[in-house]
């Protein structure tokens, strides 16, 4: 499994997502914390185990050997634990920190394939619509600046502006 390629085989162009010259699916919206896909997985897990958790994916440091590993994270600021899986890595994530994949804007280091970077963008928006490249917007009011969905929306329930506030 190529953990850096989350391309949806149903999309018209199914290329490696790191290649922004042709990408339509750079970020997998159904992998966002709070997305319909994650909520379905959480409900299934609850049915099987009786354990209510949030699911998420993201990056954990810069060590590629961590790819695919899962962690349970407890925090005092959430109403339940997170079970997360490492699906990528990056130099901007310090060792010991988990960067949860959420819809809070911010393109990261790859520019998310906006129309400025590719003729086949995932989002019909400008890079400036996403806030700071690392971290996105500082306030929830700015969530209204990001697009509601990617060009190839997998699940219409996944409104990125709503998920940004999640």
């Amino acid at each position: 499994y190529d953990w850096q390629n989350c391309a949806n085989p149903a999309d018209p162009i199914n290329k490696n997502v790191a290649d922004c010259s042709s990408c339509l699916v750079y970020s997998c919206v159904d992998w966002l914390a709070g997305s319909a896909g994650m909520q379905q997985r959480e409900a299934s897990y609850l049915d099987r185990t009786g354990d209510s958790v949030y699911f998420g994916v993201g990056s954990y440091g810069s060590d590629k050997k961590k790819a695919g590993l899962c962690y349970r994270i407890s925090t005092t600021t959430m109403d339940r634990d997170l079970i997360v899986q490492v699906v990528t890595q990056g130099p901007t994530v310090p060792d010991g920190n988990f960067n949860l994949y959420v819809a809070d804007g911010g393109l990261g280091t790859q520019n998310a394939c906006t129309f400025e970077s590719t003729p086949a963008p995932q989002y019909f928006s400008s890079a400036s619509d996403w806030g700071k490249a690392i971290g996105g917007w500082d306030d929830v009011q700015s969530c209204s600046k990001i697009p509601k969905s990617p060009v190839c929306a997998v699940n219409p329930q996944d409104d990125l502006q709503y998920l940004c506030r999640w």
Side-chain angles (χ1 to χ4, degrees):
Y1 178 70
D2 178 1
W3 58 274
Q4 291 180 325
N5 184 356
C6 63
N8 181 343
D11 287 334
I13 299 173
N14 186 16
K15 302 261 184 174
N16 187 306
V17 294
D19 177 9
C20 280
S21 66
S22 61
C23 117
L24 286 179
V25 180
Y26 170 77
S27 59
C28 301
V29 175
D30 61 327
W31 286 9
L32 292 172
S35 70
M38 284 300 185
Q39 289 182 30
Q40 291 168 354
R41 293 173 191 104
E42 291 160 4
S44 175
Y45 183 79
L46 176 63
D47 288 346
R48 284 192 324 273
T49 66
D51 191 11
S52 181
V53 298
Y54 291 116
F55 279 164
V57 299
S59 55
Y60 183 53
S62 57
D63 183 357
K64 289 184 179 184
K65 294 178 200 162
K66 294 178 181 165
L69 296 178
C70 294
Y71 297 91
R72 186 174 188 130
I73 300 173
S74 297
T75 174
T76 58
T77 59
M78 297 184 75
D79 62 340
R80 51 186 130 149
D81 287 353
L82 291 148
I83 294 180
V84 296
Q85 183 177 21
V86 179
V87 295
T88 187
Q89 51 79 37
T92 60
V93 182
D95 286 336
N97 290 281
F98 191 87
N99 186 15
L100 184 65
Y101 187 38
V102 296
D104 69 344
L107 300 177
T109 58
Q110 302 300 317
N111 186 353
C113 298
T114 59
F115 67 79
E116 293 127 334
S117 62
T118 178
Q122 181 177 2
Y123 299 102
F124 288 127
S125 65
S126 167
S128 63
D129 295 337
W130 294 88
K132 294 180 288 189
I134 305 297
W137 293 110
D138 291 329
D139 58 87
V140 294
Q141 292 78 16
S142 294
C143 291
S144 63
K145 296 177 183 178
I146 66 174
K148 285 192 174 222
S149 65
V151 174
C152 298
V154 176
N155 190 331
Q157 295 173 338
D158 289 331
D159 176 331
L160 293 177
Q161 293 177 2
Y162 169 79
L163 290 171
C164 177
R165 293 171 176 87
W166 184 82

